[in-house]
Amino acid sequence: GCGKSKESAGSGSDKPSAQDTLVYGRGGDSVSLDPATVTDGESLKVTKNIFDTLLDYNDNDTSVKPALATEWTISEDGLTYTFKLRQGVKFHDGTDFNAEAVVFNFERWANGNADTFPYYGSMFGGYKNDESHVIKEVKALDDYTVQFVLKRPQAPFLKNIAMPPFAIASPTAVEKYGDKFGEHPVGTGPFVFKEWKRNERIVLEKNKDYWEEGYPKLNQVIFVSIPDNSARLNALLKGEIDIMEDLNPTDLKQVEGNKEFQIFKRPSMNVAYVGLTATRGPLKNKLVRQALNYAVDKQAIIDAFYAGQAEPAKNPMPPSIPGYNDAIQDYPFDLEKAKQLLAEAGYPNGFEIELWAMPVPRPYMPDGQKIAEAIQANFAKIGVKAKIVSYEWATYLDKLAKGEADAFLLGWTGDNGDADNFLYALLDKDSIGSNNYTYFSNDELHNILVEAQTISDENKRNELYKQAQEIIKEEAPWIPLVHSTPLLAGKANIQGFHPHPTGSDKFTKVEFK
Amino acid sequence: MLPYTVKRVLMIIPVLFGMSLVVFFMIRAIPGNPAQVILGQKATKEAVAALTHKLGLDEPWYVQYVKYIGGLLRGDLGESIRTGAPIAEEIWPYLAATIELSLVAMIIAVIIGVNAGIISAWFQNSWFDYIAMVLALLGVSMPIFWLGLMEQWLFSIQLDWLPTSGREDVRNPIEPITHLYLIDTLLSGNTEQFWQAIQHLVLPSVALATIPMAIIARMTRSSMLEVMKSDYIRTARAKGLSMFWVVYKHSLKNAIIPVLTVIGLQTGLLLGGAILTETIFSWPGIGRYIYDAIGYRDYPVIQSGILIIAAIFIFINLIVDLLYAAIDPRIKYN
Amino acid sequence: MEGPLLEVRGLQTSFFTDEGEIPAVDGVDFSIYEGEVLGIVGESGCGKSVTSLSIMGLLPKGIGKVVGGEIWFKGENLVEASERRMKQIRGNEIAMIFQEPMTSLNPLFTIGNQLVEAIRLHTKIGKKEARARAVEMLKLVGLPRAEQTLDEYPHQLSGGMRQRVMIAIAMACQPALLIADEPTTALDVTIQAQILALMKELNRTFGTAIMMITHDLGVVAEICDRVIVMYAGQIVEEGSVQAIFRRPQHPYTVGLIRSIPDIRGKKERLYSIPGQVPKPGTIRCGCRFAERCEYAFDRCRQEEPQLYEVGEQGHRTRCFLVLEKGGGVDERAVARSERA
Amino acid sequence: MSEPLLEAKGLKKYFPITGGIFGKQIGTVKAVDDVTFTVYRGETLGIVGESGCGKSTTGRMLLRLIEPTDGSITFEGYEVTALSKAELRRLRRDMQMIFQDPFASLNPRHTVERILEEPLIVHGIGSKEERKQRVREMLEVVGLGSYHAKRYPHQFSGGQRQRIGIARALMTNPKLIIADEPVSALDVSIQAQVLNLLEDLQKQFSLTYIFIAHDLGVVRHISDRVGVMYLGRMVELADSESLYEAPKHPYTKALLSSVPIPDPDHKAERQLLSGDLPSPANPPQGCAFHTRCSACMNICRERRPELKEVANGHYVACHLYE
Amino acid sequence: MAELARTPATPPTAIREEKTGSLWGEAWQRFRKNKIALVGAGIVLFFIVIALLAPWLAPYDYKEQQLAERLQPPSGEHWFGTDDFGRDIFSRVIYGARISLWVGFFSVLGSIVVGSLLGIIAGYYGRWIDGIISRLFDIMLAFPSILLAIGIVAVLGPSLQNALIAIAVINVPNFGRLIRSRVLSIKQEEYIMAAKAIGMSDWRILFHHILPNSLAPIIVQGTLAIATAIIEAAALGFLGLGAQPPNPEWGKMLSDAKDFLTQAPWTMIFPGLAIMLTVLGFNLMGDGLRDALDPRMKS
Ligand SMILES: Nc1ncnc2c1ncn2[C@@H]1O[C@H](COP(=O)(O)OP(=O)(O)OP(=O)(O)O)[C@@H](O)[C@H]1O
Ligand SMILES: Nc1ncnc2c1ncn2[C@@H]1O[C@H](COP(=O)(O)OP(=O)(O)OP(=O)(O)O)[C@@H](O)[C@H]1O
Ligand SMILES: [Mg+2]
Ligand SMILES: [Mg+2]
C-alpha cells in the first residue's frame, strides 16, 4: 500500500508464524495440469505438488526414494519390477489410491500416442502396440501390489518411473473430466488444486489428509507468472511474492546483500552449449570446430553473465550424472592455438558465419543474446566474423531442427539424471531432426550409445558413456559452455525449500519461520 | 441516423474480412510450427506430427481458412491451440484488463489534455502555454517503455509508493465478476480492494496516457485558437459576451470536434498498442495475450484477437462519427 | 443638432506582427449623430474594418492595438473603458453585423439560442419572455416563419436569411449605434436590395444610427446621409452624400465615382485610377495618394495635406488642390481625364 | 451581324447528388437546364444572373472542362462534344478561359514566366527562346513589365494577378475567351483597369468574349449582347441596349431595379423580389421564376416557357409574351 | 492603347521587394524566424553530425568488450559509464545515432514512396481503384500498428533491416491517405481547371501541379513521421525484434539495460535521453515546418 515502509514490505515479519501462504513467482504459466500430457517444465512444477509418483527423487539428485510405492523388488533378469504400495492414501476427490489406480494410469498412457502422452512414448520406447515398447504389462497382484513386466531390460526404469509426468491420477476424476482433466487435476499430492487463472496464477491448497505425517506445512501455494526476470525480482523485493525463479545472475549481489532475502541454488543438471552444425560450410571441418572450441573464454562468460554461478563445461553432460568423464581435458582458451588450427584447416583469415542467439532466457542460459555477443567478440579475435541472428523461440527451434543454423546457442536440462537423456538425446544420429540440432552423425558413437541403453550393469554403462564423451570431445560438434546453477531468491525466513535439479519442486516441507 | 449507423456497421464487415485474410496469411508465413512450440524443445517428431494433424494444420490453407471463416460466421471464434479453451471465453479477462487500463488512461489524458489545451489557448504565449506545450512535446517524444521503466524505478522501487506490476495483490486476489476490477470491487463493496486496484492502475495508466494526453492538449490548443479566430466568435463578442462564455460555450463545442477524432483514434490505438506497457507492468492484457500467442503460434488466438481489437477500433471510430452528428447539426447522415 | 453620438478623434490603430508595426488606421476622426446613416467607403485594406473593430474594442488580442486617439461615445472614452464596461456596451448600445453571414453565426447552436443569448445578456428577462422577444425580432427583420426559425440551425438558412438573423441579434437590445461592416457584399443584388430596405426601415423606425461600411458607392448613395471616403488608413474626404457625389473634391473620390460602370448607360471608356492601394506603412512622406494621382505636384510628394473644409458645412477633403484655387478638382480636370 | 463563332444548343448539366456509403445517386442538381445561345465573331456576350444560377457551369461546359449532360456545342463548325481528347486539347488553343479568383487560378509554386509559358509548351509552340520572348511581349501587353517574369503570383496584387491570368489566356492567340467573373474579386478602381484592358485587347486581337458576371453594370459596360440566367435557364437574351432599357422578363426587371445606383438623386421605384432563390436540386415546376414573380399566371406553374424571339434579336422565356 | 500607356511601367512600391520569391523561399524565411523550430533543426543537425562523425567522436570502439569493467558508473574515462559488457555507453550512444537516423529516414522514405504511389493512383483514378486502395488503408489502419510491425518482423525475421521494412509498411496508409486527400483537394483548385483549360494532359497536371503542391504537407508529415519511426524502431529493438547485437540501437540498449535499472541506472538513462532528444528535435522541426509551410499562413 501507499507509504508502506520498506521493513514491513519485506515480509510478514511483524507476525512471524502467521504466514502460511507461499507465493511462488515464475516466468510462465502452465499449459495443462495433467502431467502426463505435457512436456513443459512450467506445468510439471505445479503438478508435482498435486500428484505423487510411485517413486520420488531424493532431495539433491536423481536417485530414487519411496513415495506412493513403499518398497520394490527387481527380478534377476531385470524384467520384472514389483512395487508395494502405500496404504490408506486417498485421492483429493476422496477415492482410494490402490493398485487398480496404478494399472489404470499406465493403461491410459500406453493406450495413448505421441500426441496425447508424449513423455510416456519417449521414456518407455513407444506405446502399446509398438515393437519398441518396453513395458509388456502392468498388473495388480493385489490391492496394494503392482507388477511391471518388461520386454527387455531398461537401465533407467526406476528413474523414469519417478519422473513427474508419470504421476498417479484419480481414475474416477480422469473419467469424470475426460479432456478437461488438465483443468481439474486430482491426485494424491500434498496440495489440492483450487483455482487457475490463466497467465496469472494457480492456487493450490493444503491437502489435510496427506500421507506424510505433519505435512504439508503451508496452507496455500500460489504460482504467479511474471515473465520478466527483473519485474519478478521487483515483485520479490516489494513482498508481492515469496520465492522467485530465475534470478538474473547479475542481480545476485543485490539480493545477497539484503538480509531479508536468501538465495537458493538449484543443483545443476544442465548444459549450455554452442552447437556447431556439422553439415554447414567451414563447420564441416573438424579442425575448425576444434579451433572455435579453443576460442571461447568460458570463465569470462561465467563471471560476467552467470555471476560465477556456473562451472565451465567440458562434456555434454553435467558432472553429477553417473558416467561423467572427468578425465577429459577441456580445450583451453588459447587464441593462438585456435588461429593455428584455422590456418591448418585452410582459413588463415577466418570466415563469416551466423551465430544464433536464443531469444528466451533459460536456467542454463539467462541471456542468450548477451552470451552470443560475448562469443561473437571471442570469435572476432581469431578472424571469425559472427553475425548474431535471433528468431522468436518457435521459429528458432523450427529452423534449428531443419539444420539452418551455423553456430547456435542452446542447452538442455536433464529429465531423469541419466546419461542417455543427454548423450543419446542430443548427439546421436537417431536424434537428428529432433534434439540433435547439430546434425552430428558418428557411427562409432551411435553404436556405443545404443549398446548402453540396453545394459543394466551400471559400471559397464558408465564406461561406455565415458568412451562416448571422448569421441565427442575429439569431434567437437559443440562448444560445451557451462553447467549453470540456476538461482532462486526468496525471503530469508523460508525453510525447508531445497530446489531440485530437475526443476520441479515439492513444497511439502516448506514453511515460514 | 439509424440507417446510417446500420450502414456503417455493415461497412465494418468487408474491412474485418480483409483483415482476417491478411492476418491468416501473415501468421502462417511466420516460420515455426505451433505443434512444435506447444510440445517444446524435447518433443519427438512423431508427437509433433500427431499434434499437427490433430490441430488440422496439415490441411491445405484454403480448407483451414474456410473452416475458420465458417466458424466466425457462426459466431465461433475458435479454440486456442495452446490451451484448448474456446477463445470467446478465454479472451474476455484479457480484453477487460486492457479496456480498464486504456479507459483510465484515456480519461486521464482527456481531462488533463483538454483542459491544458484550453488554458494554453486562452493564455496564448503565456508561461503556462509555453510550459504546457513543451511538456506536450516531450510527451510525444518519449518512448513510453522508457517512461514506464523510469516510473517503476522511481515510484515503486525507490519511493515504494505503488506496486510494480500486475492488476491486483496476489495475496488478496479480486473475485472477478465483470473482470473490470474497478467495477468488480465496487460491486462486491470491497473498498480495500478497490483502492488496491486503483494503486495498480496508476503507473501503467499514466505511462499509457502520456502520448494521447500530449496529442490531445496540442490538438485542443490549436483547434481552440483556430475557432477563436472565426467570425462567429467575433459575433459572440460583439454581443457583449464575456471571454469566459465565449470560450466555454461558443469555442469549446466547435473546437472539440477535431479533438474528438483524436480521442477516438487514440483510444483505438491504446487498445491494441498497449503491448509495451503491458509487458513492463506485467498487465495481463490483450496486447500481451496476442503477443504471447504469436510466440506460441496460437493461430486462432492471434486471428480472433486481432479481429476483435480491430472491430473495437472501428466501433469506437463509428461512435466518434455519431458523436459528431450529435454535436454538429450540419452533419446529417442519411 | 445636439452633440454627436459617437466621436472619433485622431484614432490610430496598429498591428504588431513579425514584420513590425503596421499602422492600419492612421489618424482618423469623424462623428456620427443620432439617427444618422454614415457611410464609409474605400478600397480593400484601407482600414474600414479596423476602424469599426477599434470602436467595438474587438481588435485581435495581442496583435491589434489602438495606439492613439480617442473614441467618445455618450461622454465616455471607449479607448480607456474597461473590458467590463465594454461588455456592457457591446450588443447593448453599440451593435455590429459582419460581412459574412455564412460564418458569422455559430454553426452548432440554434438561431433561437444565439438570439436569446443576446437578449438575455443585457436585459434581466426570463427565458420565456426572451423567446417571445426573439420571435418578435425575427418578425421584425422580415423572417416569415419566425417560430420555426428559432429552432433551426444556421446551415438551414439561406445567406439572406442569415443576414436578417444577424440584424435581429444586433437590434435585439435596440442599440443606439449599429455598425454594419459590408453587410451585403456577400449577397446577391436582389437579396441586397431586401436587406438595404430593411436597414433603412430600422433606421427610420427606431432612429438607430448606422455606420455603414461598404465599397459599393451604389449602396452609399442608396441609404447614407453622410459619407467618409478612406484611403490608406486615412480619411481623404468627408461630406454629405449630395456633396460627395455632386461635388467631389479629392481626386481619389472623383476617380472612384468615375470608375464605376453604370447600368444606366454605357460609358465610352471607364475612368481608371492607375496603380493600386499601397500597403499600410509603405508611404513615408507626402500625400498618400500622390503616387496614383494625376494632379499631383511637388508639394504633394513632400508634405502631408490636412483635411480642409470646402464649400458647404462639413465637407472636408485632404487635398492641396482645394487650397490652390479653393475649388479642388474642377470640372475641367474631370473633363480632361474623360478625354484621355 | 457577323457570322457565328460558337453555338450552344440545348445545353444541360445535371450534377448527381450522391449520398450514403455506396455513393448512390439520390438526386440531381440541374445546374444548367436547356440553354441555347449563339456567339458571333468579334462580339462580347454577357451572361448575368444570381449566384448559383449556372453561369460558371455553362462557361466550363463550352470548353468541356465539365462534360455536358446533353446538348451540342459547335465552334467554328466543329462539334465540340464529339471531339476526342487530343482534338479537344488542340481546340483549347482557340478557346481560352479567365477565372474569377486571381488568387486561386495561378499555381502558387510557379513563376509567372512558367505559368505563361506553359500553354506554349503544352501545345508545342515555338523554341525555348521564342517562348520566353513571347512571355515578355505578353507581359507588356497586359501592362506588366518583363522584369515581373521571375516573380511568383503571391508577390502581385489582385489586379496584377488578374492581368497574369489574362496574359495566360492570350498566349496561344485564341479566338474566343470565356471570362468567368474576371473582375468580381477586384476593387472598383482596379476593376476599371481590367475592364479597360479587356476592351483594348479585344480590339487589338479581334477577340470574341463570353463575359460572365453578376454585376449588371459591368456587364452592360462591356457586352454587346446580354443573356440573363435564372436557375439554370436562360430567361432573356438581347442586345444590351434593349435589355437594359426595355427589359421584358419580370425577373430581369426586378434584377435591374435592385441594383443600387451610385447617384443620390436617383430615386427609382424598387421592385423588391420576395424570398430566396429556390434550390437547383429542386427547381419549381413550370416557369422556374413563378415562385417569386409578381405577374405569375396559372400557366406559369404548369408549363415551362420556351426562349422565344419576341422582337428583333430579343429573346424571352416568359408566358407573358406568348 | 492610351489607357495602357498610362498604367505606370513601374508599379508603385506597393509590393515590397523580397529577397526570395518562391513559396519555398518565403517558408524558409518564416522558418528562420521561428526560434523553437530552429532549436529543433539544431538538435536534428547535431545528431546528424554525430552520426556522420561517429568514428571520430567516439572515444572507444562501440563493440569493444571489457568484461572486467562491467557496469562502471559515469566517470572521466567513460562519460556515460559502461554497460554489462564493459562497453563504453557514450560511444554506443554516438553510434546509435547512425542507426536511429538511418531507420527513421529510410523507413519514412519508403512509406512516402509507396504511400504516394497508392495515394496518387487512388486520388487520381477514383472509382473502384480508389475503393480498393482506400479499403486497404482502412484495413491497415484498423490493425494495432505495433502488432502489425511485430507480425511483419516475425515473418521476415528480426533484424534492423526488417524492422525498417515493418515500420515503413505500417506508415504507408498515413501517407497514402494524406496524398490521396491532397490530390483530391488540389484537383478542385482553380489553377488545375486553368491548366486543363489550356489543354494540359492529365499526367502533366499530375506531375507539374498536383505533386509539387503536395510536397509541403509531405515534408511536414515526413519530418514528424521520422520522429515516430525512431520511437517505433526503439520499441521493436526493445522487444528484441530490431537491430541485432552488437549494434548499439538505442531501444535495444534500453532493453539490455532494463535488468540493471536499480544497479546501474545510467545504462538506462542515456540511451533513453538520446531517443527523447532526437525525437524531440524532429518534432520541433516538424512543427516549425508546418507553421512555415502551412498554406493558411499565406498572406
Ligand atoms: N489581423 C491583422 N493582422 C495584421 N494586419 C491586419 C490585420 N487585420 C487588418 N490588418 C491590416 O489593416 C489594414 C486595414 O484592414 P481592414 O480590414 O480595416 O481593411 P478594410 O478596409 O476593411 O478592407 P476590406 O474592404 O477588404 O474589408 C489592412 O491593410 C491589413 O494589412
Ligand atoms: N461539381 C458540382 N457538383 C454538384 N453541384 C454543382 C457542381 N458545380 C456546380 N454545382 C451546382 O450547380 C449550380 C450552378 O453552379 P454554378 O457554379 O454554375 O453557378 P454560378 O452561376 O457560376 O454561381 P456563382 O455566381 O456563385 O459563381 C449551383 O447550385 C451549384 O451548387
Ligand atoms: Mg473589411
Ligand atoms: Mg460562378
Side-chain angles (χ1 to χ4, degrees), chain A residues 19-339:
Chain A
Q19 189 174 356
D20 53 4
T21 296
L22 177 88
V23 183
Y24 185 87
R26 56 185 186 149
D29 197 14
S30 304
V31 171
S32 164
L33 295 183
D34 180 355
T37 62
V38 297
T39 47
D40 68 307
E42 296 303 341
S43 298
L44 298 178
K45 271 173 203 161
V46 179
T47 59
K48 177 104 183 174
N49 287 287
I50 303 174
F51 297 92
D52 288 318
T53 36
L54 290 181
L55 305 177
D56 203 347
Y57 297 122
N58 276 310
D59 275 358
N60 294 316
D61 58 26
T62 52
S63 59
V64 295
K65 65 175 183 185
L68 285 177
T70 48
E71 53 192 84
W72 59 93
T73 52
I74 311 172
S75 66
E76 273 304 288
D77 57 2
L79 289 178
T80 312
Y81 289 73
T82 312
F83 294 90
K84 278 272 171 227
L85 302 183
R86 199 175 291 276
Q87 305 202 1
V89 175
K90 286 203 187 304
F91 287 106
H92 300 155
D93 59 2
T95 55
D96 287 329
F97 165 76
N98 53 28
E100 278 311 314
V102 176
V103 173
F104 175 90
N105 274 281
F106 275 87
E107 281 292 312
R108 176 178 174 232
W109 304 328
N111 281 319
N113 57 39
D115 167 27
T116 46
F117 303 114
Y119 254 124
Y120 184 85
S122 58
M123 298 328 285
F124 297 109
Y127 301 89
K128 197 142 214 171
N129 298 321
D130 294 348
E131 193 61 24
S132 52
H133 189 211
V134 172
I135 299 176
K136 194 163 151 201
E137 63 176 328
V138 182
K139 48 190 182 198
L141 299 184
D142 61 48
D143 261 9
Y144 293 100
T145 313
V146 180
Q147 192 175 65
F148 290 72
V149 182
L150 306 191
K151 291 183 190 161
R152 55 193 149 84
Q154 189 186 37
F157 183 74
L158 288 179
K159 284 183 175 170
N160 287 352
I161 287 287
M163 283 172 66
F166 309 120
I168 306 303
S170 155
T172 327
V174 167
E175 271 165 6
K176 177 173 163 199
Y177 294 114
D179 273 357
K180 300 269 178 247
F181 182 70
E183 289 160 39
H184 305 276
V186 179
T188 58
F191 294 94
V192 181
F193 172 77
K194 185 177 171 215
E195 184 201 1
W196 183 5
K197 226 173 137 199
R198 277 210 188 261
N199 274 3
E200 278 186 59
R201 61 166 181 264
I202 294 176
V203 182
L204 307 184
E205 277 192 333
K206 180 178 187 163
N207 177 4
K208 293 197 187 74
D209 305 321
Y210 194 52
W211 50 264
E212 219 171 334
E213 226 21 74
Y215 294 105
K217 294 281 189 193
L218 293 169
N219 194 31
Q220 220 178 33
V221 178
I222 304 177
F223 293 86
V224 299
S225 316
I226 305 175
D228 189 72
N229 288 355
S230 322
R232 206 176 317 119
L233 176 60
N234 287 338
L236 177 74
L237 294 177
K238 287 194 55 98
E240 288 161 16
I241 59 177
D242 300 313
I243 296 183
M244 72 166 287
E245 277 189 354
D246 296 334
L247 178 70
N248 276 337
T250 43
D251 291 326
L252 178 63
K253 272 211 200 87
Q254 192 189 350
V255 182
E256 272 179 342
N258 190 331
K259 274 202 281 325
E260 287 176 42
F261 300 98
Q262 59 177 320
I263 295 288
F264 302 101
K265 295 182 182 173
R266 193 183 289 288
S268 171
M269 196 171 79
N270 62 35
V271 59
Y273 63 92
V274 183
L276 303 171
T277 309
T279 53
R280 293 178 71 89
L283 298 180
K284 284 180 192 150
N285 191 327
K286 182 170 93 179
L287 293 177
V288 171
R289 301 198 298 260
Q290 288 176 345
L292 295 179
N293 263 286
Y294 278 111
V296 175
D297 185 355
K298 297 175 189 175
Q299 195 54 50
I301 292 175
I302 290 171
D303 291 341
F305 304 108
Y306 292 86
Q309 300 301 313
E311 56 179 306
K314 53 187 178 183
N315 287 322
M317 57 191 235
S320 59
I321 288 179
Y324 182 77
N325 190 343
D326 206 18
I328 283 180
Q329 285 290 312
D330 194 9
Y331 295 98
F333 176 51
D334 183 346
L335 295 173
E336 285 315 309
K337 178 77 181 162
K339 277 186 203 154

Side-chain angles (χ1 to χ4, degrees), chain D residues 51-57 60 100 180-181 212 214, chain E residues 190:
Chain D
S51 176
C53 69
K55 305 183 295 290
S56 300
T57 308
R60 287 173 185 192
Q100 165 173 7
D180 188 356
E181 314 228 15
I212 296 171
H214 59 248
Chain E
E190 207 155 58

